[in-house]
Structure formats: structure tokens, C-alpha cells
């Protein structure tokens, strides 16, 4: 397979600023590129996608990567918006996170759809992944329909992330009754909060992931009181929860509310952890190819999907969000080959 046109696409995308929430120019360029290649793209907001065939009797396999980037770090020594190719190294913001996966999955899509597959294949390039915005992948899911398996391209060194931590932040409020501190008046909300904070500190969810360990709950902020001589009637505290992929955010929230006295309000329920059965056909094939399995502590679009999801892509996570970001061309080429071997003829069971 000739990969030059995909590397050229990536170089052009690097040179179009696409910080989360401002991806329109990059999406416009990508849509035109896909049209020029006669790939018949679909577009909604700043998201583009391709479908091998309309939804029907075949199960759907989704390939997803994101086109947005973080803001360039202040410590860049290079222009982040110049795609500089030096030997095997391609420098530029978004080259590693997530451009390498984006073009590698696109190349795999073109190759895989050149012959019959036992699934309907959808490739998508979506926005607002880095800032968890609401106009990204979630907006096109109703257009795609039911998904049997998703491959989320992120820099993993082509290791298989079979589990991924989610995120839920709770704003909790303990209520009491105000009174004068010099007299035995009131009901101190701080003391009420302490009981619940101790519960968060000590409670252990039963299911433990072999890759991510326990679901973690950490109280990170506490706020109460107006002055030294007033018993506070409210105490607020914030809890950072990192699901291990074995519990949904709703299950965790239900457990919390059944065990504490404080009111608990989630800021968002969107990012449940993800987990894929290690006996699934895609993981089994990956193992046969010699691919390593691991659990990922970093969020991706995997947490937005309700289907089995495997996160895997060229590049290294350690380069993401760092100054002078880069990816190796050889990593992209190898990634394309592995994607094709992993997915060609795969039965989605």
C-alpha cells in the first residue's frame, strides 16, 4: 500500500490550527480531501465520517479518531503549526495526538472496504475530544446507528487498551443548621460532611480490574463557614471518581447516594470507564498478532461509547500534550498494517 497521500494529508492537517472548539477549517479541508478522493463523506458540525454501506443486516464496526488538539505548550521550540519532516520524524501539533491514528485508520478503511467484509465499516474524524465538548462524536452516533465494536485510535504504541478509566466529578453538600459557636446551638454541617468524607475514604467497590485496579474516589475540595463564631449550615465538598471500566457512572452514583447523607450532584455522567471482554474476537486476534494488552488511565472517546471498545493507535501517549510533539512515519505505516491485519475478515462476536 502506498501511504504517501495519507502522510501528505496529515502534514496539511497539522498546519491548520484545530484547537478544541475551533476545528472548522480542519474539518472543511478534510471533507474536501475525502470528496476529492471520491470517498463520499458525511458531515455534521465539525465531524466527518465515511460509511462502507448503509445500515442494514451487517453489524457495524466503527473506526474513530479526533481532529482537534490542545493548545500548544509554551515550551515549544518549533512552530507547532509547521509540519516538519526530518528523516523518519514528523513534528507538529496533533501529529501524535491524534493525527497518526486519524490517517492510519483512514488508510485501513480504504483498504478494508476494497473487498467484502462481514461487517459494515464506518470511519469517523470527530471534534471536541480534548475539551470533552458536546458537539463531537456523540452528535453523529444517531446518524451511524447501532455499533457492535469500536476501534478508537489514540497513541498507544499499537498496544491494545482493553480497559480505560472514566471520570465523574461530584459536587456534594452536607446540610445542617446555623447557630452561635459560643452556645450549644445549631447542627454543624462540617461534622455531617466529615462522616461522608470518611465513607469516600474507606469504601471499596467489589469489582477490581486486572488492568486498572480499583475504582478510585478522592475528596479533593472542601468549603464551609462564613466566620469563626457561626456554626455553618452548609458544607460543600468535591469528589473526583475514576471508574475502572467495570461499573457505569450511574451504578457508582447510585452506590454513593445509598451510602451518604449529603446531596451528591454529578457535573457530568458522560465519561464512564470502558472495558472489552478479553475473549472477544478482536482481542483474540490482537493477541495472535503479538499485540500487548493494557489498561489506560487517560480519557478518550471510548468513554462516550456504549459498545465494546478497543483503544489502539500509532505513536506514544507520553508525547501527547507535550512541546515539540512528533510521530514517526514508520509508526504510522506499521499502524496501518496492524489495523488491516487486526480487522480484515473479523467476525464481530
Amino acid at each position: 500500500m502506498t501511504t504517501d497521500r495519507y502522510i501528505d494529508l496529515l502534514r496539511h492537517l497539522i498546519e491548520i490550527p484545530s484547537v478544541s472548539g475551533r476545528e472548522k477549517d480542519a474539518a472543511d479541508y478534510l471533507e474536501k480531501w475525502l470528496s476529492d478522493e471520491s470517498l463520499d463523506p458525511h458531515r455534521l458540525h465539525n465531524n466527518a465520517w465515511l460509511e462502507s454501506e448503509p445500515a442494514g443486516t451487517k453489524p457495524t464496526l466503527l473506526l474513530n479518531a479526533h481532529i482537534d488538539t490542545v493548545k500548544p505548550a509554551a515550551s515549544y521550540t518549533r512552530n507547532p503549526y509547521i509540519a516538519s519532516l526530518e528523516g523518519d520524524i514528523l513534528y507538529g501539533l496533533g501529529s501524535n495526538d491524534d493525527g497518526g491514528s486519524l490517517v492510519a485508520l483512514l488508510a485501513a478503511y480504504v483498504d478494508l472496504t476494497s473487498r467484502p467484509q462481514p461487517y459494515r465499516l464506518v470511519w469517523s474524524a470527530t471534534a471536541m475530544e480534548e475539551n470533552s465538548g458536546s458537539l463531537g462524536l456523540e452528535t453523529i452516533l444517531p446518524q451511524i446507528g447501532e455499533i457492535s465494536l469500536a476501534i478508537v485510535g489514540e497513541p498507544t504504541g499499537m498496544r491494545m487498551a482493553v480497559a480505560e478509566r472514566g471520570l465523574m466529578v461530584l459536587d456534594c453538600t452536607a446540610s445542617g443548621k446555623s447557630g452561635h459557636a459560643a452556645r450549644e446551638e445549631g447542627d454543624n454541617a462540617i461534622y455531617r460532611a466529615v462522616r461522608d468524607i470518611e465513607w469516600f475514604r474507606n469504601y471499596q467497590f467489589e469489582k477490581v480490574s486486572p488492568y486498572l485496579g480499583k475504582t478510585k474516589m478522592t475528596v479533593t475540595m472542601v468549603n464551609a463557614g462564613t466566620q469563626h463564631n457561626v456554626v455553618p449550615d452548609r458544607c460543600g465538598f468535591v469528589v473526583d471518581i475514576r471508574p475502572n471500566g467495570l461499573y457505569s457512572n450511574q451504578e457508582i452514583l447510585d452506590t454513593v447516594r445509598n451510602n451518604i447523607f449529603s446531596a451528591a450532584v454529578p457535573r457530568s455522567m458522560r465519561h464512564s470507564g470502558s472495558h472489552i471482554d478479553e475473549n472477544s474476537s478482536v482481542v483474540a486476534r490482537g493477541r495472535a498478532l503479538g499485540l500487548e494488552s493494557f489498561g489506560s488511565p487517560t480519557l478518550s472517546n471510548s468513554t462516550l461509547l456504549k459498545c465494546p471498545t478497543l483503544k489502539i493507535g500509532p505513536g506514544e501517549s507520553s508525547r501527547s500534550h507535550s512541546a515539540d510533539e512528533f510521530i514517526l512515519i514508520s509508526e504510522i505505516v506499521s499502524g496501518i498494517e496492524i489495523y488491516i491485519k487486526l480487522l480484515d475478515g473479523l467476525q464481530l462476536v
Side-chain angles (χ1 to χ4, degrees):
M1 173 190 290
T2 301
T3 60
D4 290 352
R5 60 178 175 160
Y6 301 106
I7 302 302
D8 184 64
L9 170 61
L10 175 54
R11 295 182 69 176
H12 278 86
L13 288 173
I14 289 170
E15 297 189 348
I16 302 172
S18 56
V19 173
S20 283
R22 300 196 294 274
E23 304 96 341
K24 183 179 183 303
D25 290 346
D28 287 347
Y29 181 87
L30 179 59
E31 182 182 22
K32 184 178 185 305
W33 190 94
L34 295 170
S35 295
D36 290 345
E37 293 286 325
S38 300
L39 292 172
D40 192 22
H42 302 265
R43 173 80 177 267
L44 179 63
H45 304 301
N46 292 326
N47 309 288
W49 71 99
L50 308 172
E51 300 179 3
S52 64
E53 57 193 88
T57 57
K58 289 183 180 180
T60 295
L61 195 166
L62 172 67
L63 311 178
N64 176 255
H66 63 90
I67 63 172
D68 60 313
T69 72
V70 296
K71 294 179 180 178
S75 53
Y76 259 87
T77 64
R78 300 168 173 271
N79 186 328
Y81 297 114
I82 291 181
S84 176
L85 183 59
E86 300 180 11
D88 191 37
I89 305 174
L90 176 60
Y91 291 95
L93 180 63
S95 56
N96 180 78
D97 185 15
D98 194 30
S101 293
L102 185 81
V103 299
L105 284 171
L106 176 58
Y109 172 91
V110 171
D111 181 89
L112 291 167
T113 55
S114 68
R115 53 192 171 275
Q117 298 293 344
Y119 47 75
R120 167 182 175 244
L121 192 59
V122 177
W123 172 88
S124 59
T126 53
M128 291 191 175
E129 190 271 350
E130 296 290 6
N131 71 350
S132 298
S134 60
L135 296 180
L137 173 61
E138 290 162 298
T139 64
I140 69 170
L141 293 179
Q143 309 293 323
I144 294 172
E146 183 178 355
I147 300 167
S148 297
L149 172 67
I151 303 296
V152 173
E154 288 281 353
T156 68
M158 295 309 292
R159 297 186 300 153
M160 299 186 294
V162 297
E164 178 178 308
R165 281 206 182 276
L167 171 65
M168 182 166 59
V169 178
L170 297 182
D171 289 304
C172 299
T173 305
S175 298
K177 183 178 180 181
S178 62
H180 199 297
R183 298 188 293 266
E184 292 186 8
E185 293 180 345
D187 184 358
N188 197 320
I190 294 176
Y191 297 155
R192 285 181 170 268
V194 165
R195 286 177 292 184
D196 291 340
I197 290 170
E198 280 297 307
W199 181 85
F200 280 110
R201 180 182 182 183
N202 296 317
Y203 185 81
Q204 300 290 333
F205 285 91
E206 181 179 350
K207 297 177 186 177
V208 177
S209 166
Y211 292 99
L212 296 172
K214 302 174 182 178
T215 290
K216 298 179 179 179
M217 299 192 294
T218 307
V219 177
T220 55
M221 300 175 67
V222 179
N223 182 51
T226 56
Q227 59 189 62
H228 76 90
N229 59 352
V230 176
V231 173
D233 59 359
R234 292 173 65 85
C235 179
F237 58 98
V238 176
V239 187
D240 179 288
I241 301 178
R242 303 286 171 157
N244 64 359
L246 301 180
Y247 295 92
S248 70
N249 281 352
Q250 187 61 57
E251 289 174 316
I252 294 171
L253 180 61
D254 289 344
T255 299
V256 168
R257 286 176 169 170
N258 287 335
N259 283 277
I260 68 172
F261 297 98
S262 301
V265 179
R267 295 183 183 179
S268 172
M269 297 286 284
R270 296 167 64 221
H271 295 289
S272 290
S274 68
H275 174 80
I276 187 169
D277 188 339
E278 293 197 69
N279 295 317
S280 66
S281 58
V282 67
V283 176
R285 181 175 288 190
R287 284 210 193 94
L289 293 171
L291 304 182
E292 178 186 348
S293 300
F294 77 108
S296 175
T298 57
L299 286 176
S300 74
N301 278 338
S302 293
T303 63
L304 301 177
L305 294 161
K306 307 305 180 186
C307 61
T309 303
L310 183 67
K311 182 167 75 173
I312 180 172
E316 296 293 341
S317 181
S318 59
R319 301 176 199 151
S320 301
H321 306 183
S322 64
D324 299 335
E325 182 182 344
F326 69 91
I327 194 168
L328 306 182
I329 300 300
S330 57
E331 291 174 328
I332 298 174
V333 173
S334 176
I336 295 169
E337 294 172 352
I338 291 172
Y339 280 142
I340 293 170
K341 290 177 181 177
L342 184 66
L343 302 175
D344 194 12
L346 183 72
Q347 297 291 332
L348 303 187
V349 296

